[in-house]
Amino acid sequence: MHKYLLAYRAYHTKKAYSTATKRYLRYIQQHEPAGKQAFPASDGTLARFVSRLADEGISYITIKGYLSGIRSAHLERGLPWKELSKRFILWATLQGIKRVVGCQAKPKMAITLHKLRKFAPAWHALRESNKQKVLWGATWAAMLTGFFAMLRKDNLTEGKRESTKQRAGLRRDDVQFQEPRKGRPAVAWLRIRYSKTVQYKERVHYVPLVATGGDLCPVRALRAHIAETTQGPKDPLFQVPAKKRGTFRALTYAELVKGIKTLAGAAGYDPKQFASHSLRRGGATLAFRMGAPVQQIQLQGDWLSDAVYRYQQVHLADRLALPTRMAAMAATRG
């Protein structure tokens, strides 16, 4: 029974809730009167807690996430939890934070084809070092795969350097290459066994990557990376050298993000504006810019909700089209 209880929530949800609970307990210890009990939490205590978070610059969305974690901590301890609608002081405080601070999300900058082309020279230079060759081969292959397949970070990397258990990351047997034929380019088919939208093994999601040729070709990058690392079918798809000579381990999330930021900085961008989500966002933004049907974009990136519309950003030239025509009409007819 214990192993099933531990698995009732997704890994990242448990991690986020654990962070929220620790932050709350630290607040109680540092800012509430000595001997104050953390659980059950009163409305006033929670209102002061979220106010402190807002004063520290924590976003409204993150604060709501922290409250979800504290709610979970109550229920896991067998304690009652009053919903927000029945906690007027807390509800009113949150509304005030929302009004003063705002609730607009601050997404990372999208990685575009133009940016990838500017990243390529720096990637080539970093690959020249034998010590760094495999690391940057893995990073570039993961970046191109994440961009064109619009993948989430869990499918590209492992969360921790010391992690040996494969959770969601792509494995070698999750990739099947289809050779070019009758004028059609080569294709790499990815099998997604687990993701944010595939939690219970209820289905398998297949994503095609089509060869482009050149530095931005995801199929070429995957083939090159696989040739440089181990070939076991259950091995992680994206691998970097391990401590033991001649062995490999999974590319971590931290390493992928560091690689993205390094290339962005080398290309003249602010590295702080980029993260792994920049790849998924960039792929979706490109698809919308091309005029692809929403259903096709949802299928490629495995969106099951309307969240995909967040990436439907209208280009400046397109925004100017209508008012330019209106101005021309006014000028013509007086």
Side-chain angles (χ1 to χ4, degrees):
M1 182 183 77
H2 184 63
K3 69 176 181 180
Y4 297 122
L5 282 174
L6 289 176
Y8 88 106
R9 277 205 174 99
Y11 169 78
H12 288 293
T13 301
K14 289 189 288 186
K15 184 178 179 180
Y17 283 4
S18 175
T19 299
T21 303
K22 290 176 181 177
R23 187 75 178 261
Y24 170 65
L25 292 174
R26 187 164 68 246
Y27 165 81
I28 294 294
Q29 184 179 22
Q30 295 177 351
H31 301 288
E32 291 292 318
K36 176 78 172 184
Q37 288 189 342
F39 300 100
S42 68
D43 294 7
T45 300
L46 291 175
R48 291 189 293 274
F49 171 60
V50 298
S51 297
R52 170 69 63 170
L53 293 177
D55 290 341
E56 293 176 359
I58 305 300
S59 71
Y60 172 79
I61 295 173
T62 301
I63 290 173
K64 290 292 293 293
Y66 279 3
L67 286 176
S68 296
I70 296 170
R71 173 185 180 275
S72 177
H74 276 74
L75 298 179
E76 288 175 354
R77 288 166 170 79
L79 299 172
W81 175 263
K82 289 192 300 181
E83 295 305 320
L84 188 59
S85 60
K86 298 179 181 179
R87 296 176 178 266
F88 177 76
I89 294 177
L90 176 58
W91 174 83
T93 302
L94 283 171
Q95 287 296 106
I97 292 172
K98 187 176 182 180
R99 189 176 298 277
V100 173
V101 177
C103 61
Q104 183 177 5
K106 298 178 181 179
K108 295 297 183 180
M109 185 178 292
I111 289 178
T112 63
L113 287 175
H114 175 71
K115 292 183 176 69
L116 284 172
R117 291 188 183 101
K118 292 186 69 174
F119 290 178
W123 170 72
H124 276 295
L126 291 163
R127 280 268 292 175
E128 290 179 358
S129 167
N130 288 332
K131 186 177 180 180
Q132 299 291 315
K133 185 176 181 180
V134 175
L135 171 63
W136 284 104
T139 301
W140 192 246
M143 286 176 62
L144 295 180
T145 301
F147 176 84
F148 285 103
M150 307 176 201
L151 294 183
R152 298 175 176 90
K153 63 181 181 180
D154 285 353
N155 297 124
L156 298 172
T157 65
E158 286 293 343
K160 295 182 179 180
R161 179 181 292 272
E162 66 272 15
S163 176
T164 57
K165 181 180 179 181
Q166 286 293 103
R167 290 184 296 272
L170 286 164
R171 304 182 312 214
R172 290 294 159 92
D173 61 355
D174 290 325
V175 182
Q176 294 293 326
F177 292 101
Q178 182 177 319
E179 299 300 330
R181 58 181 180 180
K182 295 182 180 179
R184 292 190 299 181
V187 178
W189 285 91
L190 307 178
R191 178 181 63 180
I192 309 298
R193 296 169 288 102
Y194 179 92
S195 73
K196 184 178 179 180
T197 55
V198 184
Q199 293 278 323
Y200 305 108
K201 302 179 182 180
E202 66 271 32
R203 62 188 175 89
V204 176
H205 179 56
Y206 291 94
V207 184
L209 294 174
V210 178
T212 66
D215 287 338
L216 303 192
C217 180
V219 178
R220 174 180 171 181
L222 280 173
R223 285 188 182 278
H225 176 59
I226 289 174
E228 292 175 347
T229 50
T230 57
Q231 304 292 318
K234 304 302 181 184
D235 288 340
L237 177 57
F238 303 107
Q239 300 179 37
V240 296
K243 289 184 178 180
K244 185 178 178 181
R245 188 178 180 87
T247 62
F248 300 90
R249 58 170 176 78
L251 175 72
T252 68
Y253 172 67
E255 288 167 334
L256 176 60
V257 173
K258 182 179 179 180
I260 293 171
K261 291 179 181 293
T262 298
L263 294 177
Y269 298 102
D270 180 3
K272 295 180 182 179
Q273 298 298 317
F274 296 88
S276 66
H277 191 69
S278 298
L279 301 168
R280 180 170 168 83
R281 182 184 177 194
T285 301
L286 173 63
F288 272 116
R289 183 80 178 94
M290 293 168 58
V294 175
Q295 293 82 358
Q296 286 187 1
I297 301 173
Q298 285 179 308
L299 181 61
Q300 182 76 353
D302 199 25
W303 279 279
L304 299 184
S305 69
D306 292 338
V308 67
Y309 285 101
R310 291 182 298 179
Y311 307 101
Q312 192 176 16
Q313 299 177 353
V314 180
H315 194 270
L316 181 60
D318 296 330
R319 288 289 305 275
L320 287 171
L322 176 60
T324 299
R325 289 170 58 194
M326 293 172 67
M329 183 68 72
T332 302
R333 301 192 178 184

